[in-house]
């Protein structure tokens, strides 16, 4: 019997995702959520290079963090990177402490990254990855709460002054387990740092200016203010406290009340601010500043008013009105 001839036709070859055209591969990766990109990045070095590119992470950063990560947070991120790259700042001599940190890090990471990514990290515990200047690195640091960034926190509370609407500077970090933030406020008059847990997304905004919390904001809008303008003004209880921001509107002078159709308030050196969240008769309902030489004004009993910024965005005004007490007229 003649020997059986081997077939010259081989079986079907397995197709890898890397066999796809570059454009098709990018279209697929663009559809993946952050966790999916991290999973794909753990497959091989080629996919890692693609899946960690800024091009694929820009959309995710913009969608989730774009509203909060402004110029101040970007500057803080650069400082964070510089600190992380300093070997003396990351050296840990106590092995138990290092192990405890590793377990905590892995637990937090599981909220965001898939198991295959965690496995890669666990297998190489002695080679922790340093943060880099990629968008993915920033996204990861934000998600894990490793990066505290500057923000301002809206507050609404009922106290002896009435409804207090304010906005204060803080350093915030994200908690992926509760989808809220931890805010660390500057020391107050007692030099104690205040920590607030569970701060929700809608209470945060990026700092609209670079003025530190203890510094007077230099007003550049005083000559333009006229009745009906929406403003924010710095206020602090005493000179040992950091400034917060109050929302108000520019009102007419008393001499203008009877003839507002002939209003000339914008020509006066006196500017009247009204804070309608406080009841009529409250000492905090109205304040008067001088348009020409306004600096910090006030007293230890009524607090100190600082710099003024005019609100030009409807979104900013709308945000304050979302916090407005029900039943109070704007």
């Amino acid at each position: 019997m003649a020997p059986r001839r081997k077939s010259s036709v081989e079986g079907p070859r397995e197709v890898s995702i890397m066999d796809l055209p570059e454009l098709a591969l990018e279209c697929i990766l663009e559809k993946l959520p952050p966790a999916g990109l991290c999973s794909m990045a753990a497959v091989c070095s080629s996919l890692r290079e693609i899946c960690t590119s800024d091009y694929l992470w820009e959309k995710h950063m913009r969608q989730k963090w774009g509203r909060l990560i402004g110029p101040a947070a970007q500057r803080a991120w650069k400082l964070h990177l510089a600190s992380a790259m300093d070997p003396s700042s990351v050296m840990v001599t106590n092995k138990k402490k290092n192990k405890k940190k590793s377990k905590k890090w892995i637990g937090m990471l599981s909220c965001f990254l898939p198991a295959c990514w965690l496995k890669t990290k666990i297998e190489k515990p002695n080679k922790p990855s340093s943060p880099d200047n990629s968008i993915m690195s920033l996204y990861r640091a934000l998600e894990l709460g490793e990066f505290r960034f500057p923000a301002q926190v809206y507050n609404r509370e009922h106290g002896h002054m009435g409804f207090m609407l304010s906005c204060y500077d803080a350093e915030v970090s994200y908690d992926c387990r509760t989808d809220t933030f931890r805010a660390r406020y500057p020391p107050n008059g007692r030099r104690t740092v205040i920590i607030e847990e569970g701060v929700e997304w809608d209470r945060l905004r990026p700092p609209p200016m670079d003025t530190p919390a203890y510094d007077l904001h230099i007003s550049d809008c005083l000559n333009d203010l006229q009745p009906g303008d929406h403003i924010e003004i710095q206020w602090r209880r005493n000179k040992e406290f950091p400034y917060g921001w109050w929302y108000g509107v520019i009102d007419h002078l008393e001499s203008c009340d009877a003839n507002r159709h002939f209003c000339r308030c914008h020509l006066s050196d006196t500017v009247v601010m009204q804070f309608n969240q406080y009841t009529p008769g409250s000492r905090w309902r109205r304040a008067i500043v001088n348009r020409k030489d306004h600096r910090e004004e006030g007293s230890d009993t009524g607090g100190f008013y600082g710099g003024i910024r005019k609100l030009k965005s409807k979104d900013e005004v709308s945000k304050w009105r979302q916090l407005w007490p029900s039943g109070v007229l704007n």
Side-chain angles (χ1 to χ4, degrees), residues 89-145:
S89 67
V90 297
M91 187 177 296
V92 179
T93 57
N94 189 320
K95 292 184 178 180
K96 291 183 179 180
K97 184 176 180 181
N98 193 32
K99 185 177 180 180
K100 184 178 180 181
K101 281 188 174 182
S102 178
K103 287 182 178 180
K104 181 180 179 182
W105 181 84
I106 292 169
M108 294 180 66
L109 199 62
S110 64
C111 299
F112 165 53
L113 300 180
C116 62
W117 181 272
L118 289 176
K119 184 179 179 182
T120 304
K121 296 297 181 183
I122 295 169
E123 287 173 352
K124 299 179 179 180
N126 296 323
K127 296 183 179 180
S129 59
S130 298
D132 55 60
N133 200 25
S134 68
I135 296 178
M136 176 184 174
S137 182
L138 173 57
Y139 191 102
R140 170 192 169 279
L142 288 167
E143 288 285 334
L144 299 181

Side-chain angles (χ1 to χ4, degrees), residues 52-107:
T52 59
S53 66
D54 286 351
Y55 168 75
L56 290 174
W57 285 89
E58 283 176 352
K59 178 186 69 173
H60 299 300
M61 176 61 70
R62 184 173 59 253
Q63 287 179 345
K64 183 163 186 178
W65 295 101
R67 187 179 67 81
L68 293 181
I69 303 302
Q74 291 171 7
R75 289 192 296 270
W77 174 242
K78 290 180 180 179
L79 292 174
H80 177 81
L81 289 176
S83 175
M85 294 301 291
D86 180 4
S88 63
S89 67
V90 297
M91 187 177 296
V92 179
T93 57
N94 189 320
K95 292 184 178 180
K96 291 183 179 180
K97 184 176 180 181
N98 193 32
K99 185 177 180 180
K100 184 178 180 181
K101 281 188 174 182
S102 178
K103 287 182 178 180
K104 181 180 179 182
W105 181 84
I106 292 169

Side-chain angles (χ1 to χ4, degrees), residues 165-231:
L165 294 180
S166 58
C167 194
Y168 281 90
D169 288 89
E171 278 192 335
V172 301
S173 58
Y174 181 62
D175 185 347
C176 63
R177 293 165 296 185
T178 60
D179 192 28
T180 60
F181 293 84
R182 184 176 190 263
R184 183 179 187 271
Y185 297 97
N188 58 28
R190 298 182 298 277
R191 296 296 171 192
T192 57
V193 175
I194 299 175
I195 305 293
E196 183 182 4
E197 306 280 355
V199 178
E200 297 182 347
W201 283 83
D202 60 358
R203 289 181 55 202
L204 297 180
R205 74 175 184 184
M209 76 291 294
D210 295 331
T211 308
Y214 288 94
D215 291 358
L216 181 73
H217 172 68
I218 304 303
S219 309
D220 59 1
C221 63
L222 292 175
N223 291 331
D224 300 328
L225 295 177
Q226 53 186 314
D229 285 343
H230 300 264
I231 57 101

